[in-house]
Amino acid sequence: MKKYGFVLLTLLLFVVPVSLGAVELVSLEINEEIIPGKESIPLTVTGTLSNGIKQQIREGLVWKTSDTGIANVTPSGTLYFSGKEGPVTISVYKGKASGKKTVYARPWPKSLRIESTLVYSENPYRLLVKGKFSDGTERYYGPEDKIIWSSSNPWVAWVNNDGVVTFTGEEGYVSIKAISGEYSYSVNTTVAKDREITAWRKGIKIKEEEITYSSQPQQLTLLVLYTDDTEEEIEALSADWSSSNLEVVRVNPAGEVTFTGKPGLATIKVSYGGFHYETLIKVGRFLQEITLNQSLNYTTAWNNVPLPLSVTAVYNDGSQLIQSTNLTWETDNKEVASITEEGVLTFTGEPGMVKITVSGQGEESTTVKDEVIVNVSDIETAEPRRLYIDYNPLAEQGFYTPQVYCIFSSGEKREVTEQVEWTSLTPQVASVYQGTIYLSPNPGKISILASYQGLTDTLSGYSQGIFGFGGQRICQLGLKEHYVPFSFTPVKLTALALKSDGSMHEVNSQLRWHSSQPYVVQVNQKGELTFTGRIGRAMITAQGFGFRDMLLVEVFPEDLQPRVEKLVLEGELARGTNQLKAVAYFNNGTSKEVTNEAVWNSSNKNKAVVTEQGCVMFLGEFAPVTISVHYGGKGAEITRS
């Protein structure tokens, strides 16, 4: 006996799962599709448990309807409709769980008869059907009652889905039948004509051979074809029309075509008098809307700097693309800004208003476009102060393409290599062609002049020099710094020796330093500059190894004002509202929050907008975007990828 008890206990452990927590019934769902009618409908229910398992629920169910005058449910779940018209909700409950379905009940027919007499007519006409219904009314059948029509001889008379009869002109007997549920009714006639028929109908076609996209509805024309090759236009309403793809194009019972605007293929089918015809319609892809992405709040940092623009393009298939090509870009004031075919915008720095327009091909040869007007204010632009050739890379032989930079009064450094005019003052030793310097085998002094907006710098050196480090020749001594702006802190200068192999060697000793005006700027024998805070100019000279180089240092009144050295953007881009903060750090060691004074921009204002106070808001879902800020000639940005 103990053995059997042990076996029974073991089986129970496998059959009954061990519950790690209470499992509850959370929702109910009625399984059947409810179609109102005079027949009863047994309903079943599926329940969803808190552990995600679904199972059929048979016991403990409570049924209710929102209107017992329209429908009732028995305690066992059998649904009955009364035959009255109106909406009704069927609900089921068990504990806290529930489920429901709402349907619209329509009265069902209890009788049917065709009131119209079927007689021959050269023009199509509609047959009227009348009957009694389950709600006790007697009325004519409408489209919602879904009558099925048929003709016993469509060669004599054809009936479409709306009960419109068209006689073909052929002789013979024909019966037209209307069916609704279990009820039906027929009318008939015999067509006998006295005149002799010489041509018979052999088919149909749509007159419009090519149906192209249009934003306006198009009326199609139905033609009947005869055996004598003649054609007859007939009323489109007498035929049955349909579209194979309602997402692309629709056609109503009168043969009127309406396009949805979406691309794709659709077949328009028409049936009449036992004949069928169809035509294929193709709708291509086109632009519906384009919107510029960049918020163009002008900042001087954009002057002469290529700025790629793009748009968010919305197509008729619902897709959204970011693009800059296959569009037309224009500006109405090229003195202020120009733009390329690929949407690369460049501001000249000249003040004025400029309208930037982008356009593309829309539907039916129309044009969709977007435009923005940018006001470039008349702000005093920075003036060029100093021109220098970077590192002066001359050795004994070879060719070089040096880079040239210009320092402006704002402290900005900009490469101007392509705008420089070159002149060789020693053509027998070195020549210059298209910005590249070529050295000849002839020894001697090298002197090449670079000019830009009235400023000059000289690239100098020798093809031979004295012996120096490691037995190599030193061709030149030069200062690494070509421009030193005013600073509230000491500035260390660096001297470089150019060796015969073209390499640069930093020189820290064996040099003598001198300032021509120590009241403006002082220099010690370590090459450290100290500004006194007075305006003026001083020539700083470094000498050694038989060479020397000089650096002009100028201090202007505006230099004594604090200048932004760095701009820092604080904050992050997350969901909801993001308040960013801009902090400017100045050359005198101070800092200041400039959030409300700075210029803010968004790389895609269609996804994220930024206010003048640096508040960023995403429009819908997160998207890649860069938020930038500019102040005092400096910039910073934050990106969400």
Side-chain angles (χ1 to χ4, degrees):
M1 188 67 181
K2 291 182 178 179
K3 179 179 180 182
Y4 291 120
F6 175 76
V7 172
L8 179 60
L9 178 60
T10 303
L11 289 174
L12 287 174
L13 288 174
F14 279 98
V15 173
V16 181
V18 178
S19 176
L20 299 179
V23 178
E24 299 180 351
L25 184 64
V26 295
S27 66
L28 300 174
E29 181 181 359
I30 300 172
N31 298 322
E32 287 71 26
E33 179 185 4
I34 300 176
I35 302 176
K38 66 179 181 179
E39 302 295 334
S40 61
I41 305 174
L43 300 179
T44 59
V45 176
T46 296
T48 302
L49 304 179
S50 57
N51 59 6
I53 296 176
K54 294 180 180 288
Q55 65 183 36
Q56 190 166 357
I57 308 297
R58 294 185 175 88
E59 298 180 354
L61 298 174
V62 178
W63 295 90
K64 292 182 181 180
T65 67
S66 62
D67 191 336
T68 56
I70 297 176
N72 281 286
V73 188
T74 67
S76 62
T78 301
L79 174 64
Y80 296 90
F81 286 91
S82 67
K84 294 183 179 180
E85 183 175 5
V88 62
T89 299
I90 314 301
S91 304
V92 61
Y93 303 89
K94 183 174 183 179
K96 296 181 180 180
S98 64
K100 63 182 179 179
K101 278 191 176 182
T102 300
V103 296
Y104 191 90
R106 296 187 182 277
W108 54 83
K110 302 188 75 173
S111 69
L112 178 149
R113 72 179 184 277
I114 299 176
E115 283 199 335
S116 308
T117 302
L118 185 64
V119 295
Y120 175 81
S121 172
E122 292 185 355
N123 297 316
Y125 62 91
R126 188 185 304 275
L127 297 178
L128 300 178
V129 179
K130 196 173 186 179
K132 293 181 180 180
F133 290 82
S134 58
D135 60 353
T137 62
E138 184 177 7
R139 59 176 174 79
Y140 288 102
Y141 278 71
E144 69 279 359
D145 295 311
K146 299 180 180 178
I147 295 178
I148 299 175
W149 292 91
S150 64
S151 169
S152 67
N153 191 349
W155 303 104
V156 175
W158 157 260
V159 61
N160 71 3
N161 295 333
D162 297 319
V164 177
V165 175
T166 304
F167 285 87
T168 66
E170 301 287 343
E171 295 182 347
Y173 173 84
V174 63
S175 175
I176 304 297
K177 179 185 286 189
I179 303 174
S180 180
E182 61 184 276
Y183 301 100
S184 65
Y185 196 90
S186 300
V187 291
N188 55 75
T189 188
T190 299
V191 178
K193 303 187 70 175
D194 297 333
R195 64 183 180 86
E196 181 181 356
I197 299 175
T198 58
W200 295 266
R201 295 178 178 178
K202 66 176 182 179
I204 59 173
K205 75 172 185 178
I206 297 174
K207 182 179 181 180
E208 291 74 21
E209 295 182 356
E210 183 178 357
I211 305 172
T212 57
Y213 174 84
S214 173
S215 58
Q216 301 299 320
Q218 297 182 51
Q219 177 62 55
L220 302 182
T221 307
L222 184 60
L223 300 177
V224 173
L225 309 178
Y226 288 89
T227 54
D228 62 356
D229 295 331
T230 60
E231 299 176 353
E232 178 189 5
E233 182 178 329
I234 60 174
E235 187 178 356
L237 193 62
S238 61
D240 283 332
W241 299 84
S242 65
S243 169
S244 66
N245 191 346
L246 299 179
E247 295 292 321
V248 175
V249 63
R250 297 168 182 168
V251 59
N252 65 14
E256 187 179 68
V257 169
T258 303
F259 290 87
T260 64
K262 294 184 178 180
L265 300 174
T267 300
I268 299 297
K269 299 179 181 179
V270 58
S271 299
Y272 171 81
F275 299 106
H276 307 282
Y277 184 83
E278 60 183 47
T279 184
L280 182 65
I281 297 177
K282 181 180 180 181
V283 179
R285 188 166 176 260
F286 55 79
L287 279 171
Q288 285 187 320
E289 181 185 2
I290 54 175
T291 310
L292 273 165
N293 290 326
Q294 288 73 21
S295 59
L296 296 175
N297 301 316
Y298 174 75
T299 169
T300 54
W302 289 345
N303 289 346
N304 296 307
V305 177
L307 183 64
L309 302 185
S310 64
V311 303
T312 296
V314 180
Y315 287 85
N316 59 326
D317 60 357
S319 62
Q320 293 189 11
L321 301 177
I322 294 179
Q323 66 182 74
S324 56
T325 57
N326 298 323
L327 300 168
T328 301
W329 297 88
E330 296 177 313
T331 65
D332 67 345
N333 191 344
K334 290 183 172 55
E335 292 185 359
V336 176
S338 62
I339 195 165
T340 68
E341 294 179 354
E342 291 76 27
V344 179
L345 179 69
T346 304
F347 287 95
T348 64
E350 292 293 325
M353 304 282 288
V354 60
K355 180 167 67 175
I356 301 157
T357 305
V358 56
S359 58
Q361 187 68 43
E363 61 178 341
E364 298 182 273
S365 300
T366 60
T367 299
V368 293
K369 68 176 182 178
D370 191 21
E371 60 187 28
V372 62
I373 296 177
V374 180
N375 180 21
V376 179
S377 56
D378 189 6
I379 302 175
E380 182 180 355
T381 57
E383 297 181 356
R385 279 193 176 175
R386 178 72 185 275
L387 189 73
Y388 70 87
I389 304 168
D390 196 23
Y391 292 125
N392 199 358
L394 287 182
E396 287 191 335
Q397 57 186 354
F399 60 90
Y400 307 93
T401 304
Q403 292 176 305
V404 185
Y405 293 88
C406 182
I407 303 296
F408 292 81
S409 57
S410 62
E412 176 190 6
K413 181 179 77 171
R414 188 186 309 164
E415 183 180 353
V416 293
T417 304
E418 295 184 359
Q419 290 81 41
V420 164
E421 293 184 3
W422 296 92
T423 304
S424 176
L425 304 179
T426 54
Q428 70 280 6
V429 179
S431 61
V432 58
Y433 177 71
Q434 294 183 347
T436 299
I437 298 169
Y438 298 87
L439 301 181
S440 70
N442 300 326
K445 180 180 179 181
I446 300 170
S447 183
I448 297 176
L449 185 69
S451 303
Y452 172 77
Q453 294 193 12
L455 300 178
T456 61
D457 190 23
T458 302
L459 189 155
S460 58
Y462 294 87
S463 61
Q464 295 179 355
I466 64 172
F467 287 96
F469 304 99
Q472 294 183 1
R473 295 181 179 180
I474 295 179
C475 299
Q476 185 183 2
L477 177 71
L479 294 176
K480 181 178 181 180
E481 293 75 20
H482 300 274
Y483 174 78
V484 178
F486 174 82
S487 174
F488 289 95
T489 58
V491 178
K492 177 69 170 67
L493 299 182
T494 303
L496 298 174
L498 179 65
K499 295 186 289 184
S500 58
D501 62 357
S503 62
M504 305 295 293
H505 184 84
E506 186 174 325
V507 180
N508 295 315
S509 60
Q510 304 181 35
L511 294 179
R512 295 193 306 276
W513 297 87
H514 175 72
S515 172
S516 66
Q517 188 55 269
Y519 291 102
V520 176
V521 59
Q522 301 172 355
V523 60
N524 61 22
Q525 294 309 305
K526 295 181 180 180
E528 295 176 343
L529 295 183
T530 303
F531 290 87
T532 64
R534 296 182 181 182
I535 62 173
R537 61 171 58 187
M539 188 68 70
I540 305 299
T541 304
Q543 295 185 145
F545 308 103
F547 295 94
R548 70 175 181 175
D549 195 17
M550 294 182 291
L551 173 67
L552 177 64
V553 178
E554 295 180 279
V555 180
F556 296 87
E558 58 268 26
D559 291 335
L560 302 180
Q561 300 297 320
R563 178 177 293 146
V564 179
E565 285 192 332
K566 181 175 66 172
L567 188 65
V568 175
L569 181 55
E570 298 179 359
E572 61 180 9
L573 298 180
R575 294 186 183 276
T577 302
N578 304 270
Q579 180 59 60
L580 304 181
K581 183 171 71 171
V583 180
Y585 292 84
F586 297 86
N587 58 350
N588 63 352
T590 63
S591 63
K592 172 187 174 184
E593 181 183 347
V594 294
T595 304
N596 295 333
E597 305 170 47
V599 178
W600 296 87
N601 275 286
S602 169
S603 67
N604 192 342
K605 60 182 174 58
N606 299 305
K607 299 297 182 181
V609 295
V610 57
T611 67
E612 295 180 355
Q613 292 75 36
C615 183
V616 180
M617 291 166 286
F618 282 89
L619 306 177
E621 298 181 355
F622 275 143
V625 68
T626 297
I627 304 299
S628 60
V629 61
H630 288 84
Y631 177 81
K634 302 296 181 180
E637 62 184 31
I638 182 173
T639 299
R640 177 175 178 83
S641 58

